[in-house]
Every structure is written in structure tokens, then in C-alpha cells.
Amino acid sequence: MRGVVGVLALQGDFREHKEALRRLGVEAKEVRKPEHLEGLKALIVPGGESTTIGKLAREYGLEEAVRQRVAEGSLAVFGTCAGAIWLAREILGYPEQPRLGVLDVAVERNAFGRQVESFEEDLFIRGFSEPFHGVFIRAPVFRRLGEGVEVLAELSGFPVLVRQGKVLASSFHPELTPDTRLHRYFLELAGL
């Protein structure tokens, strides 16, 4: 056992992330309140509806608790799709939307189109020997990257997987594929 990984379970596809972790032999803990973060070194924020995730996280006191843990370096965070939007410092066109703001990027919601324009594409991720199959559903794009943000994968010239320290964010849904390499990468990033 590598330790326990938290999965934000306020809304969205948190069950799929828990299943990916189970396939890796890692225990997943559903996080809904600040006290659920105790003892965790890693948190996954799933895809879903970014406005709802942000509002609920703020209402339940998780926004500030997670922000503090990330700032002190004691918590690694991986946001996928809507989770990536919540992590962003700036959400283009939605300045009032609740967000964590721990990733120095400006993100554009639904940049690849609406739900009916969802698609799948093989991605070349830096450090991976084989392509990773990305599932894009109302996917965001990282438009502006801060100085310390590293691009790990692009699609059509746009960054779709970025990292800043122990914060990882993807435009796509790795939890919707049987491939656990990106979850494994996050565990290594978190020191698990």
C-alpha cells in the first residue's frame, strides 16, 4: 500500500478516479469536508461541473483548507477537466467563479466545444514511451501559463496537461480509460 489518496467527492466523476486508484492498489478516501484532508498527501479533483465544484468547496470550507495545504507544500493536487478549471488562477470570461487559484494559468472553459463535440485523441505525454488516449468532454484549454508552469502534453498546439510543482492539471479525463499511467505519475509526484 502506497498510502491513501483523497478524491474530492462533491460532484462529478470521483468514482472513476477511485476505481483507477484501486487498480493501482491504492486506497482512495472521499473528501467532502476539511477534516477529511487530515493525513493526506494527495488529492484528486475530478471532472464534472466547475462552477458547482467551486461553490460547494467554498461552502463546505474545503477551498481555503486545500489552498493552505498546497501553499505549505504538504498536499499534491491533480485536477482533471473541471478539476483543472478549479485549480486555475484565472478563468477566462468567469472572473467571479469560485476557484482555488493554486495553478498559475488562465484557463478557457469548454474550449474544444460543447458536450456533443466531445472526442478522443491519442496524446504524446512527456516522459511516457507510448501515447496516452485522452477523452475530451467539454474540455478546457490552458491559455496563459505562468513562469513555473511546465507543459507535459499538447493538442493542436494547445497545452492540455500541465504541472507546477506538486500541482498537476489535465484538460482530459484519464480516469475514463483503463490506462493508469497518469494516476501513477501523480502518485510519484506526491511522493507516494
Side-chain angles (χ1 to χ4, degrees), residues 5 9 11-12 17 24 30-31 37 41 43 50 56 59 68 88-89 101 115 124 132 140 145 149 159 161 181 189:
V5 174
Q11 192 269 340
H17 280 289
L24 288 169
E30 293 183 7
V31 173
L37 294 169
K41 292 174 61 175
L43 176 69
S50 62
L56 291 174
E59 185 178 323
Q68 182 178 340
R89 181 156 297 153
Q115 185 89 12
F124 294 94
F132 189 95
L145 307 177
V149 178
L161 178 64
R181 288 179 294 163
L189 181 67

Side-chain angles (χ1 to χ4, degrees), residues 12-159:
D13 60 349
F14 60 90
R15 289 174 190 87
E16 289 81 354
H17 280 289
K18 287 176 61 182
E19 175 58 23
L21 292 168
R22 187 199 61 75
R23 289 195 309 268
L24 288 169
V26 176
E27 182 183 344
K29 175 182 180 181
E30 293 183 7
V31 173
R32 292 187 177 90
K33 299 177 182 177
E35 55 266 28
H36 296 160
L37 294 169
E38 288 178 26
L40 297 179
K41 292 174 61 175
L43 176 69
I44 295 175
V45 183
E49 212 295 305
S50 62
T51 304
T52 302
I53 290 170
K55 286 180 178 177
L56 291 174
R58 182 170 285 175
E59 185 178 323
Y60 296 160
L62 276 164
E63 178 183 292
E64 191 52 42
V66 173
R67 185 181 294 124
Q68 182 178 340
R69 292 280 310 277
V70 171
E72 64 191 26
S74 65
L75 186 69
V77 183
F78 179 18
T80 62
C81 198
I85 294 168
W86 187 61
L87 297 179
R89 181 156 297 153
E90 181 182 1
I91 303 170
L92 298 173
Y94 298 88
E96 303 304 317
Q97 181 174 327
R99 66 182 140 295
L100 198 59
V102 296
L103 179 62
D104 190 10
V105 299
V107 68
E108 180 184 348
R109 292 173 24 168
N110 305 324
F112 286 108
R114 301 167 65 84
Q115 185 89 12
V116 296
E117 297 163 306
S118 300
F119 63 96
E120 299 180 19
E121 187 75 38
D122 283 343
L123 303 169
F124 294 94
I125 296 177
R126 192 161 34 140
F128 287 18
S129 59
E130 298 292 324
F132 189 95
H133 195 69
V135 177
F136 292 80
I137 304 169
R138 292 175 35 220
V141 161
F142 305 105
R143 293 286 186 192
R144 181 197 54 76
L145 307 177
E147 210 173 289
V149 178
E150 180 181 8
V151 177
L152 301 178
E154 294 183 349
L155 179 63
S156 303
F158 296 110

